[in-house]
Amino acid sequence: MTVLRDLPKLASGKVREIYEGPDGTLLLVASNRISTYDVIHPTPIPDKGSVLTALSTFWFERTAGILSNHLLSVTDGVPDEVRGRAMLVRRLEMLPVECVVRGYITGSGWKDYQATGAVSGIELPAGLRESDRLPEPLFTPSTKAEVGHDEAIDFEGAVELIGDRELAERVREVSIALYQRAADHARERGIILADTKFELGLDSAGALTLGDEICTPDSSRFWPADQYEPGRSQPSFDKQYVRDWASSTGWDRTPPAPPIPDDVVARTREKYVEAYERIAGEPFDAWLRRTDARPRP
Ligand code: PZK
């Protein structure tokens, strides 16, 4: 049996870690940490890491026909203590671009559109409002910053970084297809997937492969469809209670973030679980049981 402390830790992100698994594999572990305004709160959201892992697994299974992915297992080889919130994956040679796809105009895309009328070098119609649906999903890549924020680039910038125009064209094509598949599915279940970020790589045979997490609330914007109203910023499906509460405290968004009160934690946990249950169409407990994350009765 594998225990986490026996695995070398390769990297720590703000909300997750990567370990070296058996036989050249990697173990991606999602924590229960949550950030607002890019700052991690000291209070965890119970089950957040499991919900994100469950969602990625759901999408990996349902998009494998578009692009193969790095997922190997969420049970075999996964240490007991992280069951439910960890996946064993194949090691890839990651491409040096973030594959952002936008179906709606918001965030930095909205900022760029207001300043230039274009996003990622793509001219857009005049008169778009904040949060409007785009005429078609756009591939708007960015660089991978080691520290600080990724920088938006146009498709030619992605071609240069990837170093192969045909590969970059395939990256753009599959990124849009993956977004389309996930966004259509989520929309039918009352969640607007406004935009998302994929990380692609090459496997040991040189095949283009989907890595990292896919269409989770940490890599995407989830909006409640029944509250969608263009012309303003949209509430976040998952983080809105934390943001509203944090704003009400007068916190100025500089570190350290304040601890989150119990009722806000509980309501936020429920929103993550609700997102999983709506999208996957099964009780979240079914995931925990399938991954042996909870003792069986
Ligand atoms: C890889 N990251 C980002 C994720 C972190 C950092 N299949 C892969 N092969 C090689 N490298 C990566 C992956 C994946 N996925 C992903 N960094 C490297 C990342 C999670 C936690 F600290």
Side-chain angles (χ1 to χ4, degrees), residues 60 63-69 170 174-175 178 200-201 207-211:
F60 278 140
T63 58
I66 299 171
L67 185 66
S68 61
N69 60 65
R170 170 120 174 91
V174 299
S175 294
L178 290 166
L200 276 55
L208 188 63
T209 304
L210 179 58

Side-chain angles (χ1 to χ4, degrees), residues 11-13 16-18 26 28 70 90-92 94 212:
S12 279
R16 59 219 183 114
E17 283 89 37
I18 296 194
L26 298 174
L28 301 192
H70 68 166
R90 291 189 285 155
R91 209 184 268 262
L92 305 174
M94 303 307 290
D212 206 65

Side-chain angles (χ1 to χ4, degrees), residues 240-257:
Q240 201 57 45
Y241 291 128
V242 182
R243 288 188 185 153
D244 289 349
W245 166 80
S247 296
S248 77
T249 64
W251 175 50
D252 65 4
R253 304 179 183 182
T254 64

Side-chain angles (χ1 to χ4, degrees), residues 81-123:
E81 64 223 273
V82 292
R83 283 280 178 111
R85 62 183 180 94
M87 50 180 128
L88 206 66
V89 303
R90 291 189 285 155
R91 209 184 268 262
L92 305 174
E93 191 177 319
M94 303 307 290
L95 300 179
V97 293
E98 305 276 10
C99 300
V100 179
V101 182
R102 301 173 188 273
Y104 293 74
I105 187 83
T106 187
S108 64
W110 170 240
K111 289 262 168 350
D112 294 348
Y113 171 72
Q114 284 179 292
T116 69
V119 178
S120 189
I122 305 162
E123 285 290 334

Side-chain angles (χ1 to χ4, degrees), residues 159-221:
V159 170
E160 285 206 2
L161 283 171
I162 292 170
D164 177 333
R165 180 171 298 274
E166 285 195 5
L167 178 57
E169 285 170 351
R170 170 120 174 91
V171 164
R172 175 174 61 186
E173 176 181 271
V174 299
S175 294
I176 290 171
L178 290 166
Y179 168 79
Q180 195 81 254
R181 168 69 65 88
D184 286 351
H185 179 95
R187 187 67 187 79
E188 287 166 14
R189 287 151 182 86
I191 293 175
I192 292 174
L193 192 59
D195 53 28
T196 195
K197 182 188 80 179
F198 303 109
E199 298 213 25
L200 276 55
L202 302 177
D203 73 6
S204 59
L208 188 63
T209 304
L210 179 58
D212 206 65
E213 57 181 334
I214 162 173
C215 296
T216 72
D218 277 8
S219 68
S220 321
R221 286 187 177 88

